[in-house]
Amino acid sequence: MPEVKPVPPLVSIIMPAFNCELFVSKAIESVLIQTYSQWELLVADDKSDDATKEIVNKYAGQDVRIKVFHNSYNQGIVRTRNKLLENTQGSLIAFLDADDWIAPTKLEKQVNILIASKVEAVGTNYFAAYLNGEIIKNSKGVSKQIISKEDIYQLPFWLPSIMITKNLLQKVGGYHSYFNDMACYEDLYWIYEILELSKIQFIEEPLYYYRHNPNSVTKTLNYKRLAGQRLVNELITQRLTTGQDWLSQANYKEADNYINALINDKAWQAECYRRVAAIKIDEKNYKNAVELLTQSLKLNLKSLKSYRTLFYLFKSIIRNS
């Protein structure tokens, strides 16, 4: 009798989409040209007010593997991701942000590893790119093939590059609802929860392309979201040292108090301005950097870091003049 080949596992790819008319076509096209064909792409339009809805509908009409959901109101990325995760049919789950794209062999290489190994998650190296698609740099991180929870602050893969088993998803659950209205680093917290259950294998080849957005949360001033970033670091530290954190104990009041204390701390506000100013200097946006550093020093005139960043600004202006 002829050998019966096993049926390739279905990969469910989830893609939240909000006001990304300039980029979503490239993201979808990168899925369509995958060397691995057993996939479904679940796209959720989060009540966009540009042409995103029409674009994703067009692709869904051309390929039955593409399934589109439309939020009746803007729900944010955390609720939208969780909604998509609940609707996945595949035994393997992958992720793709609507302004990014993936290499043609990404799914195939990740599927092969998950079939052949005992790990239940695999992430890949990545390239960063400008909004116009020009490649900026390769990623940095720990140089090892198997990632454990102790490596959480040195992850070598871009978080949406991960592929996990449905079995692992059912154990860890979706993104924590605490981050529903404060999406920032919620994926890092989720990755840590995964690492408590399974090590993550790392593919050194860059297979994910992350589009560098100068207006992203970590590059603009939104105190609540930046405080959320600090909160996630605190929660992970708690888990590493005690095995529990405020969210795992449903102690949301302590998490709220932590965020509110940061938001009302002028020294922390000053540091937020300084950090964003440093990014603007690297982008050669000197006018904006001066404005941000001025505000930083108004909030905390004794900040040595702000003075060092000011010196860095002068050096950068002279070097590039």
Side-chain angles (χ1 to χ4, degrees):
M1 294 181 63
E3 181 182 354
V4 179
K5 293 184 178 180
V7 178
L10 177 66
V11 178
S12 295
I13 309 162
I14 69 163
M15 181 195 296
F18 176 68
N19 285 355
C20 52
E21 62 181 3
L22 297 178
F23 311 119
V24 69
S25 291
K26 185 175 181 67
I28 295 175
E29 293 284 353
S30 74
V31 175
L32 290 170
I33 63 171
Q34 288 296 300
T35 56
Y36 187 84
S37 60
Q38 291 295 107
W39 54 261
E40 63 170 0
L41 175 61
L42 280 64
V43 185
D45 170 48
D46 195 16
K47 197 62 176 177
S48 299
D49 52 23
D50 64 0
T52 297
K53 176 180 178 179
E54 290 72 24
I55 293 170
V56 298
N57 282 344
K58 180 192 72 172
Y59 281 102
Q62 296 171 353
D63 194 313
V64 295
R65 295 174 296 178
I66 301 174
K67 303 170 184 178
V68 177
F69 302 81
H70 295 288
N71 291 345
S72 58
Y73 63 94
N74 182 263
Q75 298 184 26
I77 194 167
V78 174
R79 289 187 183 90
T80 302
R81 278 180 179 158
N82 283 336
K83 173 183 176 179
L84 290 172
L85 288 172
E86 291 171 0
N87 283 277
T88 55
Q89 299 297 314
S91 59
L92 300 176
I93 313 296
F95 303 79
L96 177 58
D97 287 348
D99 50 358
D100 299 339
W101 70 98
I102 54 178
T105 58
K106 177 181 181 291
L107 297 185
E108 180 182 5
K109 290 180 176 179
Q110 289 182 295
V111 168
N112 288 341
I113 287 175
L114 289 173
I115 290 175
S117 69
K118 294 182 179 180
V119 299
E120 292 195 79
V122 55
T124 83
N125 207 338
Y126 68 95
F127 283 118
Y130 288 115
L131 292 180
N132 63 7
E134 178 188 352
I135 303 300
I136 306 172
K137 60 183 178 180
N138 202 351
S139 65
K140 296 179 180 179
V142 292
S143 180
K144 55 169 63 173
Q145 286 191 325
I146 301 297
I147 310 301
S148 63
K149 64 181 182 180
E150 288 75 22
D151 303 313
I152 188 65
Y153 294 121
Q154 303 178 75
L155 296 178
F157 58 89
W158 192 244
L159 302 186
S161 77
I162 197 170
M163 181 184 289
I164 67 173
T165 65
K166 175 64 81 64
N167 178 60
L168 180 58
L169 174 64
Q170 290 170 341
K171 291 177 183 176
V172 73
Y175 294 84
H176 201 290
S177 60
Y178 183 82
F179 300 104
N180 280 348
D181 300 308
M182 187 184 57
C184 184
Y185 272 47
E186 76 288 339
D187 46 359
L188 185 65
Y189 183 81
W190 187 70
I191 290 291
Y192 183 79
E193 291 185 301
I194 286 175
L195 284 167
E196 286 191 319
L197 298 173
S198 170
K199 294 184 186 300
I200 298 175
Q201 187 153 340
F202 172 57
I203 298 175
E204 191 170 354
E205 180 184 359
L207 298 173
Y208 193 97
Y209 292 81
Y210 153 65
R211 208 180 292 267
H212 171 82
N213 184 352
N215 297 315
S216 69
V217 168
T218 54
K219 299 177 181 65
T220 55
L221 279 165
N222 181 318
Y223 286 147
K224 186 174 182 180
R225 289 187 173 185
L226 289 171
Q229 177 182 341
R230 281 280 297 272
L231 172 65
V232 169
N233 290 336
E234 170 63 24
L235 295 173
I236 290 174
T237 299
Q238 292 176 13
R239 287 279 272 268
L240 281 167
T241 54
T242 69
Q244 294 182 314
D245 65 66
W246 291 324
L247 300 191
S248 68
Q249 299 174 81
N251 191 350
Y252 305 130
K253 184 176 180 180
E254 284 297 329
D256 289 341
N257 290 341
Y258 183 89
I259 287 177
N260 291 332
L262 281 176
I263 290 174
N264 293 312
D265 184 339
K266 287 190 176 181
W268 180 79
Q269 293 175 17
E271 175 60 11
C272 289
Y273 276 99
R274 186 204 65 80
R275 287 175 57 193
V276 178
I279 293 170
K280 298 304 177 184
I281 294 170
D282 290 338
E283 294 172 351
K284 298 183 176 60
N285 187 346
Y286 299 131
K287 181 180 178 181
N288 198 193
V290 169
E291 294 170 350
L292 290 163
L293 281 173
T294 300
Q295 188 61 36
S296 176
L297 288 167
K298 282 182 179 179
L299 287 165
N300 185 8
L301 196 58
K302 297 180 180 180
S303 171
L304 292 177
K305 286 185 177 180
S306 292
Y307 288 112
R308 293 193 189 104
T309 305
L310 187 61
F311 179 66
Y312 174 55
L313 169 63
F314 291 146
K315 282 180 62 178
S316 182
I317 292 173
I318 293 170
R319 184 170 59 248
N320 292 289
S321 60

